[in-house]
Amino acid sequence: QSALTQPASVSGSPGQSITISCTGASSDVGGYNYVSWYQHHPGKAPKLMIYDVSRRPSGVSDRFSGSKSGNTASLTISGLQAEDEADYFCSSYTSNGLDWVFGGGTKLTVL
Amino acid sequence: QVQLVQSGAEVRKPGASVKVSCKTSGYTFTGYFIHWVRQAPGQGLEWMGWISPSGGATKYAQKFQGRVTMTSDTSINTAYMELSRLTSDDTAVYYCAKYSGSLYFDYWGQGTLVTVSS
């Protein structure tokens, strides 16, 4: 069982928008603006997509955006493209004895 | 460009140890911590700890205290994670990740599958 809760799967058609949630607690997601999101194609290295809740690294498409409300962070992908099909997981700094916690991952299917 | 390249898949028997390497390039190895994270089949990622390559300081998650050892070799820009007294619960993909310095991981290795089976 993961420390952060994500839906197991989401899907959308090309051009549509989808949102993936990441729910934690006041000791992690709710307590710090240090949520990050990663895209993971199986067998490859995970790629940073969002950090500090809503900041995009250089080179990441502006179709990817992040936000947070209370103990839940969200990743939104707009204008879905076939190449977006991957697993996405969230991470947050935490003060509960570990340093970092992660979500279970969400499989995005582009229909 | 920054790269973290991990060693290949390993199979171990229960009770044995495994050592996974993470060879880095494209940045100053001693300037950034390396973290280790694992993902067991069907489960989420689990943070294991970090090492500071410039001096060797480490911090391990309590769950792995006494069983994990993280080291680094600055002459070849490589970090290592050794896990001992393996059980079937340690079957997982192990990842190294470069800490950005600002509470997120900016680059990851491709993962190393460790299978523990008798």
Side-chain angles (χ1 to χ4, degrees), chain A residues 40-105:
Chain A
H40 187 204
H41 290 100
K44 297 196 172 182
K47 176 185 177 183
L48 175 68
M49 306 303 286
I50 295 287
Y51 68 96
D52 292 355
V53 175
S54 60
R55 295 177 183 265
R56 268 190 316 275
S58 173
V60 171
S61 170
D62 60 4
R63 296 186 299 104
F64 291 82
S65 62
S67 62
K68 190 185 84 167
S69 178
N71 294 340
T72 298
S74 298
L75 172 71
T76 297
I77 308 173
S78 59
L80 270 180
Q81 299 179 0
E83 68 206 48
D84 299 332
E85 186 162 293
D87 295 324
Y88 292 84
F89 63 88
C90 59
S91 177
S92 173
Y93 177 76
T94 179
S95 60
N96 72 349
L98 297 172
D99 280 8
W100 271 267
V101 286
F102 294 87

Side-chain angles (χ1 to χ4, degrees), chain B residues 57-115:
Chain B
T58 56
K59 181 178 181 179
Y60 304 139
Q62 187 172 10
K63 174 177 180 177
F64 300 103
Q65 291 272 3
R67 277 211 307 141
V68 69
T69 304
M70 296 177 187
T71 58
S72 64
D73 184 339
T74 57
S75 69
I76 55 172
N77 296 339
T78 299
Y80 302 91
M81 186 284 300
E82 184 171 21
L83 191 61
S84 62
R85 301 195 302 277
L86 293 168
T87 72
S88 58
D89 290 341
D90 295 315
T91 293
V93 177
Y94 290 77
Y95 295 94
C96 60
K98 172 184 170 289
Y99 182 57
S100 67
S102 292
L103 295 173
Y104 59 92
F105 309 108
D106 52 0
Y107 294 94
W108 294 65
Q110 83 279 15
T112 296
L113 174 62
V114 174
T115 302

Side-chain angles (χ1 to χ4, degrees), chain B residues 35-66:
Chain B
H35 290 243
W36 289 88
V37 177
R38 75 178 188 179
Q39 184 170 29
Q43 301 196 23
L45 292 111
E46 181 175 33
W47 179 76
M48 298 181 69
W50 55 253
I51 180 168
S52 170
S54 72
T58 56
K59 181 178 181 179
Y60 304 139
Q62 187 172 10
K63 174 177 180 177
F64 300 103
Q65 291 272 3

